[in-house]
Amino acid sequence: MSFRALVTDKDAAGVVQSSVQQLDDARLPEGNVTVDIDWAGLNYKDGLVLTGAGGLVRNYPHVAGIDFAGIVRDSADPRYVAGQPVVLTGWRVGEAHWGGYAERARVNADWLVPLPDGLSTRDAMIVGTAGLTAMLSINRLEAAGLTPAAGDVLVTGAAGGVGSIATAMLGRLGYDVTALSGRPQHAEALLALGASAVMSRDEFLAAPDKPLESARWAAAIDSVGGKVLGKLLKQVNYGGAVAALGNAGGIGLETNVLPFILRGVTLIGIDSVMQPYATRVAAWSRIVELFDPAVYGSLVHEIGLEDLPAAAKDIIAGNVRGRLLVKPR
Ligand code: NDP
């Protein structure tokens, strides 16, 4: 038996390149569940892996793809049986372990989640790591006291994967969402998704910096980091909270302690990769209630394995809108 995969390799000069190859099943890594992959996603981190930026991969040749959904082909673990639909995100799959850019994957059963009822494998990958991270962020903000009555919520990187799904789910929950985007040409799509207002990133950053600025956000979900996170922290209402989940705009954080000590602002870190099973299952169940893949339809684009190297450059350049779905066969 053999399967198609996008194999990423690094040459002697350190150049990382990928090509579609037919691999024997014996090449699959260790694991106790084999999955026939229906769909994978393209995330910012996949862009880093495929372009070789960020040094996330230690061992080449490698198969990237940090999330996928498919059907169990065979299982040596009693929790999973052949024919069962499953979804996988995180656990450093696609970085330290071969991932979803293939027709087949072999993984550890502990990393899988049974596909929730009401979600197809395609729907699950529209959500993917991006949607799970958006859901985890909302759950943490609500646990910190956020309610729709508290005021406006700022979502940064709003035209990207996490930002657009966060916007849609917050809108569905009745929040007033301001979508901050560097691409105002997508304003209409963001309003249709559930944003109440769209703000240009350039204008947001151009406003003069002060140690503490006018308070205007009950909470924020931030995919960007860097200057954007530093500035928005100074604009959070008394007692508000910010979920910091990404670094699309840089890993730096220039701010000061005044938002924390004068307004009691909370900065919440979000990691989707190592979340325990129970938290994942609870998040996926809530996603099924809140996320309507049909509303998101215009933001979904399908590509094949051979399209991934170019798409990876696009996502790193901030040129991908919504979610790119990868059909490996
Ligand atoms: P996307 O590329 O889909 O979205 C990122 C968005 O950030 C872009 O669409 C763009 O939004 C904005 N952006 C891009 N470049 C810049 C820049 N230089 N300065 C400011 N804004 C920028 O990525 P994802 O949604 O998949 O991921 C977003 C971030 O979250 C990434 O850093 C990713 O690594 C991280 N992440 C973290 C997870 C976790 O577990 N903590 C899980 C998933 C993702 P716009 O065009 O609207 O301005």
Side-chain angles (χ1 to χ4, degrees):
M1 294 296 292
S2 68
F3 64 101
R4 282 177 88 230
L6 183 78
V7 178
T8 301
D9 216 340
K10 192 179 198 174
D11 67 20
V15 178
V16 172
Q17 275 176 331
S18 305
S19 61
V20 177
Q21 298 177 20
Q22 196 73 29
L23 300 182
D24 194 278
D25 272 21
R27 299 276 306 274
L28 284 167
E30 277 188 23
N32 51 5
V33 182
T34 307
V35 179
D36 284 329
I37 297 174
D38 287 343
W39 296 97
L42 179 75
N43 301 276
Y44 190 86
K45 196 185 262 180
D46 296 312
L48 293 176
V49 170
L50 290 177
T51 57
L56 297 172
V57 177
R58 295 269 162 82
N59 297 315
Y60 292 95
H62 176 67
V63 174
I66 67 164
D67 50 16
F68 64 77
I71 307 295
V72 172
R73 183 183 180 86
D74 53 65
S75 170
D77 185 287
R79 289 168 289 175
Y80 293 97
V81 293
Q84 185 175 356
V86 288
V87 57
L88 183 146
T89 65
W91 297 111
R92 302 205 62 222
V93 170
E95 298 174 63
H97 188 93
W98 281 14
Y101 296 157
E103 288 177 313
R104 207 160 294 152
R106 184 167 294 146
V107 295
N108 184 331
D110 293 340
W111 304 336
L112 292 166
V113 169
L115 198 73
D117 285 343
L119 219 55
S120 66
T121 50
R122 186 175 183 278
D123 292 344
M125 270 307 102
I126 294 175
V127 175
T129 297
L132 179 68
T133 307
M135 188 77 268
L136 293 169
S137 302
I138 294 170
N139 288 347
R140 291 286 302 278
L141 289 173
E142 289 185 341
L146 181 67
T147 63
D152 292 356
V153 179
L154 183 70
V155 174
T156 70
V162 179
S164 56
I165 299 182
T167 299
M169 291 198 292
L170 285 167
R172 183 81 180 268
L173 283 164
Y175 286 93
D176 284 323
V177 179
T178 296
L180 185 80
S181 179
R183 293 179 288 174
Q185 67 270 31
H186 299 319
E188 262 181 43
L190 290 167
L191 293 169
L193 262 191
S196 319
V198 177
M199 188 186 279
S200 135
R201 184 169 73 228
D202 288 345
E203 275 174 38
F204 174 79
L205 288 174
D209 254 331
K210 295 185 197 154
L212 210 53
E213 302 181 12
S214 298
R216 55 198 301 201
W217 315 114
I221 294 184
D222 177 56
S223 294
V224 171
K227 283 189 180 155
V228 168
L229 176 58
K231 188 161 184 73
L232 78 83
L233 278 166
K234 300 172 190 170
Q235 300 180 358
V236 176
N237 295 351
Y238 190 90
V242 176
L245 66 97
N247 60 343
I251 59 165
L253 174 56
E254 269 177 49
T255 190
N256 64 66
V257 297
L258 296 187
F260 307 108
I261 64 175
L262 295 184
R263 289 192 181 146
V265 169
T266 302
L267 182 57
I268 301 172
I270 303 294
D271 167 58
S272 65
V273 177
M274 306 305 287
Q275 285 294 323
Y277 182 77
T279 314
R280 285 168 195 269
V281 170
W284 278 103
S285 322
R286 196 167 185 217
I287 286 167
V288 176
E289 283 167 32
L290 287 181
F291 185 67
D292 179 0
V295 171
Y296 200 76
S298 68
L299 289 170
V300 176
H301 302 280
E302 295 179 7
I303 59 173
L305 292 179
E306 36 294 284
D307 304 315
L308 274 163
K313 289 183 186 150
D314 284 344
I315 201 164
I316 295 301
N319 291 332
V320 166
R321 183 167 71 122
R323 291 281 293 156
L324 276 186
L325 297 195
V326 184
K327 181 93 184 130
R329 48 195 151 118

